[in-house]
Amino acid sequence: MLDLKPLSILLFVFVALLLKTIVKSVGKANIENAAWNLYTSIASKAGHAQFLELSKRRAELVEINKQRKAVSAQDEYAKWTKLNRQFDKLNGEVSNLTDAVSAEKLKFTKAIGVLISLLTAAPVWFSRVWYRKAILFYFPPGVFPYYVEWVLALPFVTIGGVGLTIWMMAVNSVLGSVALIVLFYLLPLVDAPVKQDPKEDSPVKAE
């Protein structure tokens, strides 16, 4: 099962490094937050008790606060006091529910972080250990000087072949350059600098 052909190893490592580059470019924290937002959206529609209760209590809190602000504490003191007690009670419930949801978010994002590490770092390190002696492809003798052949064979394969270490270095270099170009074009546009007339900057001589 793990005895893959060189072409399969090349593709497997390329996909693993591509995924790792995407995660690095997007940002692990951004992926965790996006996953949490997706989870809360789906869970709320599915009837998650805490999310529904928190949403309900927040709506009640906003309504009570509107009523409290609309009532004069001097003219309708009893009503204002009642609304104030309701507001404090709801505010405490919202605070407790928020803490519970925050604790759930911490567990969820930690699990997503572990999953991201398993999908990105684990395949790379596994390949480095398991396929470290695999020769991915050969090239005809004499194509490169001996010292180039020696470098390409580092650290475990026979001279004349290319191993996983060099292949990973090459793929990482290409993917890093492509990611840099893509991120550059995704950045907001900046206005081109305008050349100022030197006469405008020069002090006006007093006549």
Side-chain angles (χ1 to χ4, degrees):
M1 177 180 171
L2 298 177
D3 188 17
L4 300 177
K5 294 181 179 180
L7 179 59
S8 299
I9 298 174
L10 289 172
L11 295 176
F12 173 74
V13 172
F14 177 80
V15 171
L17 293 177
L18 176 62
L19 184 60
K20 185 177 180 180
T21 302
I22 292 174
V23 170
K24 182 179 179 181
S25 301
V26 175
K28 189 176 179 180
N30 292 331
I31 296 175
E32 292 173 351
N33 288 331
W36 170 253
N37 292 334
L38 179 62
Y39 169 71
T40 54
S41 176
I42 296 174
S44 297
K45 293 179 181 178
H48 191 289
Q50 278 186 336
F51 295 161
L52 293 178
E53 187 69 16
L54 179 59
S55 178
K56 179 182 176 181
R57 294 304 180 194
R58 281 176 172 171
E60 292 177 357
L61 187 66
V62 171
E63 183 61 29
I64 292 295
N65 193 38
K66 288 181 180 179
Q67 296 179 20
R68 190 180 62 160
K69 289 183 177 179
V71 173
S72 173
Q74 295 178 347
D75 299 336
E76 300 178 83
Y77 180 75
K79 186 176 181 180
W80 182 86
T81 303
K82 181 181 178 181
L83 290 172
N84 202 44
R85 285 198 299 265
Q86 291 178 352
F87 179 85
D88 292 338
K89 180 182 178 182
L90 282 172
N91 194 39
E93 292 177 358
V94 168
S95 180
N96 292 334
L97 287 169
T98 301
D99 291 341
V101 171
S102 297
E104 184 176 350
K105 180 181 180 181
L106 182 61
K107 294 179 181 178
F108 180 86
T109 53
K110 186 177 293 186
I112 293 296
V114 172
L115 180 61
I116 291 173
S117 298
L118 289 175
L119 292 176
T120 55
V124 173
W125 284 105
F126 168 78
S127 300
R128 284 178 175 173
V129 174
W130 192 264
Y131 300 114
R132 65 186 184 278
K133 295 182 179 179
I135 300 177
L136 302 181
F137 51 86
Y138 299 90
F139 47 85
V143 173
F144 300 109
Y146 176 80
Y147 62 88
V148 175
E149 294 182 354
W150 182 82
V151 170
L152 292 176
L154 289 174
F156 300 109
V157 302
T158 306
I159 293 177
V162 176
L164 194 61
T165 299
I166 299 300
W167 170 251
M168 283 186 171
M169 290 175 60
V171 172
N172 273 326
S173 178
V174 173
L175 291 178
S177 299
V178 172
L180 185 63
I181 294 172
V182 172
L183 291 175
F184 174 78
Y185 280 101
L186 291 178
L187 290 173
L189 296 177
V190 179
D191 295 334
V194 179
K195 185 177 181 181
Q196 295 183 349
D197 190 349
K199 296 181 181 179
E200 296 180 357
D201 297 333
S202 59
V204 179
K205 295 183 179 180
E207 295 181 358

